[in-house]
Amino acid sequence: MVRHGGASRVPDYFHGYTVVGLVAVVGVLFVVVAFTAGRLLRPDLPTAGKLLPYECGVDPVGEGWAHTQVRYYLYAFLYVIFAVDAIFLFPWAAIFADPGFGAVTLVEMFLFLGLLGLGLFYAWRKGVLAWT
């Protein structure tokens, strides 16, 4: 233990950990109390109908495998194109004006936008962007 002027520095160091530990304990207790109260207060009347697996309003009939159409994959692909574009474009615009980020950052962003444009062109060629 290091002493400076007769006072110990160790309690000041562990004070931050004590606060974090207390907040963690209070958080865990809050969750445990909430789940326990929910279990004690809710009605528990299981029936055969309630114990069946249920998915999106469709009764479980037949096999568990279902065919998915490819168009849902293409919608997800388009979402990723536009979401990634928005996520990376705003921070880039904020840092572009800083010194040292000029031409190289501009070239990198045009390469990035070019790749996203290729994805958009692919979706357009597949007819995904046509309204039906």
Side-chain angles (χ1 to χ4, degrees), residues 15-118:
H15 178 69
Y17 288 113
T18 305
V19 171
V20 171
L22 286 174
V23 169
V25 168
V26 168
V28 169
L29 283 175
F30 183 75
V31 171
V32 168
V33 167
F35 275 106
T36 304
R39 179 171 284 229
L40 293 175
L41 296 175
R42 72 175 181 233
D44 188 22
L45 302 169
T47 62
K50 289 181 181 179
L51 296 176
L52 283 174
Y54 181 76
E55 183 80 28
C56 299
V58 179
D59 289 330
V61 178
E63 296 182 20
W65 293 96
H67 296 283
T68 305
Q69 295 185 8
V70 176
R71 69 177 175 200
Y72 297 119
Y73 166 74
L74 292 174
Y75 292 142
F77 185 68
L78 283 174
Y79 171 76
V80 167
I81 288 174
F82 291 114
V84 168
D85 184 18
I87 288 172
F88 285 114
L89 210 57
F90 289 118
W92 171 81
I95 200 171
F96 180 68
D98 290 346
F101 289 103
V104 174
T105 308
L106 187 64
V107 169
E108 288 176 351
M109 186 49 68
F110 277 118
L111 286 173
F112 175 70
L113 291 175
L115 288 173
L116 291 178
L118 281 174

